[in-house]
Amino acid sequence: MLRRSIARRGIEEFLDTAHRNADFITGRAWTAKELRRKSFDDLHKLWYVLYKEKNVILTEQTRARTLGLEMNAPERMRKVCQSMARLRHVVDDRRKVLKAARETAEEEARAAAAAAASAAKDSDKDDAEEDRTQAAS
C-alpha cells in the first residue's frame, strides 16, 4: 500500500527534516519480483514516489555539501536508483509482451480474413460451376 505524502509548498517539500539530526535505518530497494506483482497504477504511483525521494536526496546532498556536513544515509540514493531501474525494466517487459500479443492477434486476424476470403472465393467458384451445370441440362 502506498501512502501519500503531506502536501507542502516550496523548498520544504524537498528537505528531509524528519531525519536530519537522527541516525535512522533505511529500507531496501524494491525487487523486480515484487514489482511484477503490482498493477500498472501502483507502478505509476511508485515511480513518482521514488522520483520525489530522489529529488529529496539530491537536495539533501547539495545542502550537506554547501554546509560542509556529512549527509545522513547516503546509501538511500543507490537504493532509489536501483528501484527505479527495476521498475523501468518491469514496465519495459510488460510493454514488450503487450506488443507481441497485439502482433500475434493481428496476424491471426489477417489469417482468419484470408481464410474467409478463400472460402468465399471457393463458394463463388462452386456456385458458378453449379450454374453452368444447370444451364447445360
Side-chain angles (χ1 to χ4, degrees):
M1 169 112 188
L2 299 174
R3 290 183 233 152
R4 293 184 181 202
S5 62
I6 298 170
R8 298 183 209 149
R9 300 292 180 247
I11 191 74
E12 294 85 30
E13 192 165 359
F14 298 100
L15 295 176
D16 194 5
T17 55
H19 303 104
R20 184 166 294 149
N21 296 322
D23 290 333
F24 62 96
I25 300 170
T26 60
R28 60 177 174 73
W30 285 83
T31 65
K33 185 177 180 180
E34 292 169 329
L35 294 170
R36 284 187 191 101
R37 288 189 229 132
K38 299 286 182 191
S39 69
F40 178 78
D41 288 338
D42 286 345
L43 292 175
H44 187 79
K45 291 173 190 173
L46 180 58
W47 177 262
Y48 282 101
V49 168
L50 291 168
Y51 194 73
K52 185 174 178 180
E53 180 66 15
K54 182 177 176 180
N55 283 328
V56 167
I57 294 167
L58 289 171
T59 302
E60 286 297 312
Q61 279 179 344
T62 303
R63 184 179 169 280
R65 191 173 31 247
T66 301
L67 298 174
L69 302 172
E70 188 175 321
M71 188 181 134
N72 285 337
E75 71 278 358
R76 288 187 306 164
M77 180 59 93
R78 181 186 56 79
K79 293 174 185 178
V80 168
C81 289
Q82 208 173 38
S83 293
M84 290 178 87
R86 289 174 180 161
L87 195 151
R88 197 174 311 125
H89 180 74
V90 167
V91 171
D92 283 347
D93 284 348
R94 287 184 184 182
R95 183 186 52 79
K96 289 174 187 174
V97 168
L98 181 62
K99 183 179 177 184
R102 284 183 180 158
E103 289 172 356
T104 301
E106 288 172 2
E107 288 172 12
E108 289 174 356
R110 276 189 242 124
S118 177
K121 198 176 192 183
D122 290 344
S123 175
D124 289 344
K125 285 181 182 178
D126 291 343
D127 290 344
E129 191 174 311
E130 193 174 302
D131 290 342
R132 281 190 222 122
T133 306
Q134 287 177 356
S137 314

